[in-house]
Amino acid sequence: MKVALVHDYLTQRGGAERVFELLCKRYPQADIYTSLYDPQQTIDLGERIVNTTFLQNIPGAAKYFRLMAPFYFPAFRALDLHEYDLIISSSTSFAKAVRKNPSAKHICFCHNITRFLWDTETYLREYGDYRYFAPLIEQVFQVMRKVDLAYAQEPDLYIANSSVVARRIQTTYGKKAIVINYPIDTSKFVFAKSKEDYYLASARMISYKRLDIIVEAFNWLGWRLLISGNGPERERLQSKALSNIEFLGHVTDSQRTQLFAKAKSIIVAALEDYGLVPVEANASGTPVIAYGAGGVLDTQIPGKTGVFFKRQTPESLQAALLEAKEIDWDYEDIRNHAVANFSEEAFFSKVEQVVDQACNLNSSLV
């Protein structure tokens, strides 16, 4: 069986790219396709050949990949994948549009619907100049929505990382999706049964992460809070924070691992479609205090692995923090839950069952 792996673009390293990296490792003989590839800025694919589209030949396209948005669909449609028996796409936008042999199967790991098309205002509000070009952009996006909806019918099967994303795929594209929570490499996280006297928030400092809520809550409580990460909101957040809050900026992977293991709790105030940070915290034996909506509803067990707060307000978070402080956490149980449910082994056990059923096979494709 000949397998092709397809990703939107390999120009950055985020959650979607980490999942694609796992797929590439799991299918070492598969051919890799993407629209744009910048090996210095994305996942490590070793010596694997990465096939790209005509966009790769445009100077600066990999650096300014978001500006290429109107051209991705024709770029993926131009790829010839008719020789493959199985196509596995990893997509938040465009890779699902690839063409295939009618007898082949196309399974799409859909990390989300095309957010900038279907939730434009939320997605683009981080870009200050958006409002100046909004009328022109909206005209382009109206056309692109029709194209996106049409090409969303190409995959034979969708896999979503959370129940939230599965509902969006059903509502927007009219396609059912199987939910398989994405994994983490549990071996990269260390367990610490003894916790130190600090709480941790680890996130890019952008508005939707709602770090402002966390800062205000800890200003009021006076408890020690560490915040790792950088972003455009940092200066504003620092100006509001009292002396019990420390901004760490960028931390190394080894530093991050230790911070996760020794924190009393990891705080997550954003509405995330899935969210790897809560799972990573649990893999470190650390409970999570999170806004109770979105992906955490799939990954957290209240009172066992974390505590939810109901509203994105400092007062609601404060109540959850006080509640969590009274719980006698079983840190080993938290770690065991993460390993059992969110390890790569657990993930691929589910994936292979789905792939085998979709392809009507009795043996593994690996």
Side-chain angles (χ1 to χ4, degrees), residues 60-123:
K63 182 177 180 180
Y64 301 104
F65 61 94
R66 290 184 178 88
L67 298 179
M68 300 293 108
F71 307 106
Y72 285 115
F73 282 131
F76 278 108
R77 295 300 283 179
L79 291 175
D80 184 4
L81 303 183
H82 283 81
E83 64 181 295
Y84 296 96
D85 305 296
L86 173 64
I87 296 169
I88 299 177
S89 62
S90 164
S91 180
T92 55
S93 302
F94 310 107
K96 61 181 178 288
V98 293
R99 295 181 295 170
K100 66 179 181 67
N101 189 306
S103 63
K105 295 294 183 181
H106 178 179
I107 298 174
C108 178
F109 283 79
C110 186
H111 312 292
N112 210 330
I113 61 173
T114 309
R115 288 283 301 278
F116 72 87
L117 293 179
W118 303 103
D119 190 13
T120 303
E121 185 174 347
T122 300
Y123 187 88

Side-chain angles (χ1 to χ4, degrees), residues 224-228 238 241-249:
R224 188 184 181 202
L225 171 69
L226 305 182
I227 304 177
S228 67
Q238 282 186 296
L242 299 181
S243 59
N244 57 302
I245 300 174
E246 183 179 349
F247 291 79
L248 304 177

Side-chain angles (χ1 to χ4, degrees), residues 93-325:
S93 302
F94 310 107
K96 61 181 178 288
V98 293
R99 295 181 295 170
K100 66 179 181 67
N101 189 306
S103 63
K105 295 294 183 181
H106 178 179
I107 298 174
C108 178
F109 283 79
C110 186
H111 312 292
N112 210 330
I113 61 173
T114 309
R115 288 283 301 278
F116 72 87
L117 293 179
W118 303 103
D119 190 13
T120 303
E121 185 174 347
T122 300
Y123 187 88
L124 293 181
R125 67 186 175 190
E126 298 296 335
Y127 304 95
D129 293 336
Y130 161 66
R131 63 184 183 274
Y132 299 115
F133 303 99
L136 175 60
I137 290 174
E138 180 56 27
Q139 290 183 34
V140 175
F141 282 7
Q142 284 181 9
V143 175
M144 290 186 67
R145 287 186 193 107
K146 294 178 181 179
V147 176
D148 186 51
L149 184 58
Y151 290 154
Q153 310 310 307
E154 293 285 348
D156 299 289
L157 176 69
Y158 277 93
I159 294 176
N161 60 6
S162 70
S163 302
V164 172
V165 173
R167 286 194 293 271
R168 287 182 186 152
I169 293 169
Q170 174 73 65
T171 301
T172 304
Y173 296 149
K175 303 280 282 187
K176 292 183 178 180
I178 296 171
V179 177
I180 302 179
N181 298 136
Y182 290 173
I184 60 169
D185 184 349
T186 52
S187 68
K188 291 184 177 180
F189 296 89
V190 298
F191 173 73
K193 190 172 184 178
S194 177
K195 304 299 182 181
E196 296 184 4
D197 189 24
Y198 67 86
Y199 294 81
L200 177 69
S202 177
R204 285 187 63 209
M205 294 187 185
I206 52 180
S207 61
Y208 97 86
K209 294 294 186 180
R210 299 311 310 268
L211 291 168
D212 58 324
I213 293 172
I214 302 175
V215 167
E216 288 186 41
F218 277 83
N219 277 345
W220 182 82
L221 290 167
W223 299 353
R224 188 184 181 202
L225 171 69
L226 305 182
I227 304 177
S228 67
N230 279 313
E233 289 277 288
R234 179 169 178 171
E235 185 176 343
R236 185 179 73 87
L237 291 167
Q238 282 186 296
S239 70
K240 296 173 60 176
L242 299 181
S243 59
N244 57 302
I245 300 174
E246 183 179 349
F247 291 79
L248 304 177
H250 172 75
V251 297
T252 66
D253 287 346
S254 61
Q255 290 172 327
R256 186 173 184 269
T257 296
Q258 292 298 319
L259 288 167
F260 270 54
K262 295 177 181 178
K264 282 182 174 292
S265 293
I266 305 295
I267 317 298
V268 178
L271 171 57
E272 299 282 9
D273 301 323
Y274 178 52
L276 290 173
V277 166
V279 180
E280 292 171 339
N282 290 166
S284 309
T286 302
V288 174
I289 301 173
Y291 174 49
V296 292
L297 300 179
D298 286 351
T299 64
Q300 300 300 306
I301 302 175
K304 180 178 178 180
T305 67
V307 170
F308 293 147
F309 54 99
K310 297 179 180 180
R311 296 177 302 279
Q312 286 178 305
T313 65
E315 295 77 13
S316 188
L317 172 54
Q318 289 162 15
L321 284 161
L322 293 169
E323 177 186 346
K325 192 174 184 181

